[in-house]
Amino acid sequence: PYPNIQPPLSWTLFLHTYFCLEWLNTAGPLSLHRELSGSLVLLDFFTYCCINCMHLLPDLHELERRHPIADGLVVVGVHSAKFPNERVLASIRSAVLRYDITHPVVNDAEAHLWQELEVSCWPTLVLLGPRGNLLFSLMGEGHRERLFLFVQVALQHYRQMGKLKPGGVKVRLYKDSLPPSPLAFPGKVATELNGERLVVADTGHHRILVVSTSGQVLHSVGGPGNGWKDGDLSEALFNSPQGVVMKGDVVFVADTENHLIRKIDLSEGKVSTLAGVGVQGTDKVGGGLGPQQPISSPWDLALGTAGDVEDNVLWIAMAGTHQIWALFLDDGKLPKSGDCPKGTCVRFAGSGSEENRNNSYPQKAGFAQPSGLAVALDLPWVCIFVADSESSTVRTLSIKDGAVKNLVGGERDPLNLFAFGDVDGSGTEAKLQHPLGVAWSPEKELLYIADSYNHKIKVVDPKTKQCQVLAGTGEPGGARGPGFSEVCFSEPGGLCVGQGSKVLYVADTNNHHINLVISEGDVLDAVGSTAPRKVPSLPKSAPWVELPPMSVSPQQTLHLSLALSLPSGTKLTKEAPSCWAMSAEGEDWLQGQKVTGDIMDVSKPVSITAVVPAIPPSATPLLVLNAWVYYCGEGGTCMMKAVSFRQPLRIEAPPRSGVAEITLSHSF
């Protein structure tokens, strides 16, 4: 490494500024004169929208594992924002949670530290010695071995000189103060063709949920921890999955931080890997068979047709290399390219340079972190709509000839990635701020946009390129209306149309919800709401089902399978509110989780999840689940029955992998 950063003009001013800014993951502000004195300090200048900054985080996690604070190394994230939305402390706090950043982070909202150290790009690493002296800097990603070697040698050098005196930094993780929630930063949502089921990328929980349109969990695959594991649904692991596509009983998943494309076959109960090798790739051409082809941070997926076979290709928003790729599920052919056998994973469009460059030749076009895809197969469109987040544009990529064109946002200069804003208008007159999702309505011939950093849902008529706000105030929050103009979102990351384009499902990422936007102007919680519904009192005649104690660990996910049988010749009364309610007797650790729900069907078990808190209030809590069912017989006789299940838990310190399964069964 070369020391290519000069000392700041005023070192005293730098130290004072560093101390006075807003901090996360610490007990208080840190100073190079006090808490950080006697330690090597690695400054990571980042902005949380940047895919290159995300790529650096695994290296920093491993560096911190090898050299903890007690060894004399302190990593400090210096968040210097690109977008206005990223200057807000609450937004950075969400990003710190989403990316599981466990070192101190300082909000350099006005770029004071950035300017003092003459930083010029994201990410940039700066290593300071135990007296705050500059040692070296690295710009960009891909310097893992060089970084590790220099830090190791520097620690050895200063330790031998007796200048390392660590111990003044007190880390206080923000995530430890939060209650668990049913969803954690859901990134994307999709619906199957008939609209009966939704699939949700529960990104922060590293899992995929298949749910009914009423919010009932039908399948939960993956979590609570991250990893890469194929096999049975109960054993599979993901790492911050994003894009999802559902066709029949098959769910395709962009397993983003594993750099993989996965397949969930619900009918077979298996998860497999279709593309990627499990580590970040740098190949910008591709062409290999999926399991041998390295890929980089796939962010979204769309099912499409390239050739004569319908639905023979998965289009991939490859955010890590700023390209659009294709994974062939059957033989096919790309425009202006050759035949592609089944299994081929190859670049379709994008040079790999981070640009806002349109071109009639797909491989000469340039994207900037494409993050959302939607396919329109009808004439005259026959294209892929691309939410190109870092250029703050939505582009079209022709499936017929590969031409890339601007639809809305940005400007004509292909190198200007700062043409963002919040303006209704046509074409480049409209302005967006880091859009992450798009959804196409074939019935209405309209495109919906998750304008993520403006906290809005917008709609575009591609015939006129006119873009305008559909819902959202522009302020981050969780208000639900009553109308579109009063609703608040917080960095919505994905959306899809449902019920013949009568509704939109929105992944309201930082609110940890899936919202239902309906054409009449209402916004409701579809999945993830923790507000408890009113439930009846438990009748004195309701039986108690006592279950044997179960050993679980902090932060482990509990999957409760509620199986109820009605008397022969009876059926649920749809008009009556059959429901369930969960509580933790004598404790409040379920606060913030989904504790009530409807029972719509008893022909199959009702799926319910809960998460054990990181800091349990007691070692032996009692989990109680009550269920009420209303049913009628053939003679018209109707009744309500209830049951109470009581599950003692033993919370033990050693972490357990996988989900703890609890079966609750009762026959009325």
Side-chain angles (χ1 to χ4, degrees), residues 285-288 293 324-328 334 337 340 344-349:
V285 177
Q293 176 61 56
I324 308 301
W325 281 48
L327 173 61
F328 281 85
L334 292 174
S337 184
C340 297
T344 303
C345 188
V346 64
R347 180 261 309 260
F348 176 25

Side-chain angles (χ1 to χ4, degrees), residues 547-578:
L547 299 166
M550 169 176 279
S551 296
V552 297
S553 62
Q555 294 187 301
Q556 187 172 16
T557 297
L558 311 179
H559 177 236
L560 291 79
S561 182
L562 177 61
L564 302 175
S565 300
L566 301 181
S568 177
T570 64
K571 61 181 180 180
L572 278 182
T573 305
K574 292 185 178 180
E575 294 77 11
S578 295

Side-chain angles (χ1 to χ4, degrees), residues 18 21-26 28 30 44 46 75-80 89 92-93 96 101-108:
Y18 198 63
L21 299 177
E22 299 169 313
W23 288 81
L24 294 170
N25 282 348
T26 69
L30 303 180
D44 171 28
F46 77 109
V75 178
V76 175
V78 183
H79 190 273
S80 302
L89 184 64
I92 302 170
R93 185 182 292 121
V96 166
I101 297 174
T102 56
H103 52 250
V105 173
V106 60
N107 180 14
D108 186 25

Side-chain angles (χ1 to χ4, degrees), residues 201-214:
D202 189 8
T203 308
H205 287 145
H206 310 288
R207 65 179 179 174
I208 303 300
L209 299 178
V210 179
V211 302
S212 69
T213 52
S214 65

Side-chain angles (χ1 to χ4, degrees), residues 128-431:
L128 305 178
R131 296 179 294 105
N133 50 307
L134 283 163
L135 297 181
F136 85 113
S137 71
L138 289 170
M139 293 183 289
E141 58 174 300
H143 306 295
R144 177 186 173 104
E145 298 307 321
R146 176 184 275 188
L147 170 66
F148 285 18
L149 177 61
F150 198 99
V151 168
Q152 180 180 352
V153 170
L155 285 171
Q156 291 174 349
H157 171 73
Y158 284 109
R159 189 177 293 113
Q160 291 170 359
M161 294 179 65
K163 293 186 177 181
L164 288 182
K165 299 177 181 178
V169 177
K170 294 186 178 4
V171 174
R172 181 180 296 169
L173 297 182
Y174 174 66
K175 68 178 183 179
D176 289 343
S177 66
L178 299 177
S181 62
L183 298 179
F185 303 104
K188 301 290 182 182
V189 60
T191 183
E192 64 178 330
L193 190 61
N194 62 18
E196 293 183 357
R197 294 179 294 181
L198 297 174
V199 57
V200 178
D202 189 8
T203 308
H205 287 145
H206 310 288
R207 65 179 179 174
I208 303 300
L209 299 178
V210 179
V211 302
S212 69
T213 52
S214 65
Q216 179 181 333
V217 176
L218 306 175
H219 301 276
S220 176
V221 188
N226 60 7
W228 172 22
K229 188 175 183 181
D230 289 336
D232 294 340
L233 300 187
S234 61
E235 299 176 348
L237 293 174
F238 300 87
N239 192 352
S240 298
Q242 287 282 345
V244 284
V245 172
M246 189 172 194
K247 182 180 181 183
D249 280 334
V250 172
V251 179
F252 299 102
V253 181
D255 193 4
T256 304
E257 293 192 18
N258 273 332
H259 311 285
L260 301 170
I261 305 299
R262 312 285 290 282
K263 174 185 175 182
I264 302 173
D265 192 317
L266 299 175
S267 60
E268 294 184 0
K270 298 291 184 181
V271 176
S272 57
T273 297
L274 298 183
V277 297
V279 295
Q280 181 192 344
T282 57
D283 187 355
K284 296 181 180 180
V285 177
L289 291 178
Q292 288 82 48
Q293 176 61 56
I295 59 176
S296 179
S297 299
W299 207 272
D300 201 13
L301 302 174
L303 192 62
T305 301
D308 299 327
V309 181
E310 184 178 0
D311 292 342
N312 67 335
V313 65
L314 269 180
W315 304 116
I316 307 170
M318 203 71 76
T321 55
H322 313 291
Q323 295 172 312
I324 308 301
W325 281 48
L327 173 61
F328 281 85
L329 307 175
D330 209 327
D331 295 347
K333 183 177 182 179
L334 292 174
K336 298 179 179 176
S337 184
D339 293 333
C340 297
K342 178 180 179 179
T344 303
C345 188
V346 64
R347 180 261 309 260
F348 176 25
S351 64
S353 298
E354 189 174 8
E355 298 176 329
N356 177 25
R357 187 178 300 277
N358 300 305
N359 200 289
S360 58
Y361 289 89
Q363 297 173 2
K364 293 184 178 180
F367 294 93
Q369 207 169 307
S371 302
L373 301 177
V375 173
L377 293 178
D378 297 330
L379 293 171
W381 320 114
V382 196
C383 71
I384 306 169
F385 294 103
V386 181
D388 198 38
S389 61
E390 283 294 283
S391 67
S392 295
T393 65
V394 173
R395 325 269 285 281
T396 62
L397 170 56
S398 172
I399 299 174
K400 293 188 297 182
D401 60 16
V404 177
K405 301 178 181 179
N406 174 275
L407 183 64
V408 293
E411 67 156 50
R412 298 187 185 281
D413 180 357
L415 300 181
N416 183 3
L417 301 182
F418 289 80
F420 50 78
D422 184 9
V423 180
D424 289 352
S426 177
T428 55
E429 295 176 359
K431 291 293 179 279

Side-chain angles (χ1 to χ4, degrees), residues 506-519:
V506 179
D508 194 4
T509 303
N510 286 358
N511 279 328
H512 315 294
H513 289 170
I514 301 298
N515 293 332
L516 176 64
V517 180
I518 59 179
S519 57

